[in-house]
């Protein structure tokens, strides 16, 4: 199943400016983050939890940010 991460990508740009900055914060490679954002590799539950906290995502918005199916 593929997910639409447009909202997540927007939040990343708003808070971190680049994926590279966020990847450093997550302690993963830019390639790994890119693979996750492009549905090649899924985010782990731990990564989702960390991203919720780093990006300040409200609990009510988690579904829209992480679990909206791609059309």
């Amino acid at each position: 199943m593929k997910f639409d991460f447009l909202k997540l990508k927007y939040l990343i740009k708003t808070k971190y400016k680049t994926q590279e900055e966020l990847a450093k914060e997550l302690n993963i490679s830019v390639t790994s983050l890119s693979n996750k954002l492009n549905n090649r590799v899924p985010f782990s539950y731990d990564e989702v939890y960390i991203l919720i906290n780093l990006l300040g995502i409200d609990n009510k918005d988690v579904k829209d940010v992480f679990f909206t199916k791609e059309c």
Side-chain angles (χ1 to χ4, degrees), residues 13-65:
K13 281 190 177 196
T14 300
K15 180 102 178 189
Y16 286 91
K17 306 296 186 244
T18 67
Q19 291 179 15
E20 183 176 15
E21 289 181 29
L22 179 60
K24 286 179 188 176
E25 193 74 28
L26 291 171
N27 201 30
I28 62 173
S29 70
V30 176
T31 301
S32 180
L33 179 58
S34 177
N35 284 336
K36 292 168 189 292
L37 290 171
N38 289 298
N39 284 290
R40 292 185 196 108
V41 177
F43 283 100
S44 71
Y45 291 114
D46 290 339
E47 290 167 335
V48 170
Y49 181 78
I50 291 167
L51 285 167
I52 289 168
N53 290 308
L54 288 176
L55 298 172
I57 300 169
D58 289 337
N59 288 338
K60 66 180 176 50
D61 297 324
V62 170
K63 182 179 176 189
D64 288 337
V65 173

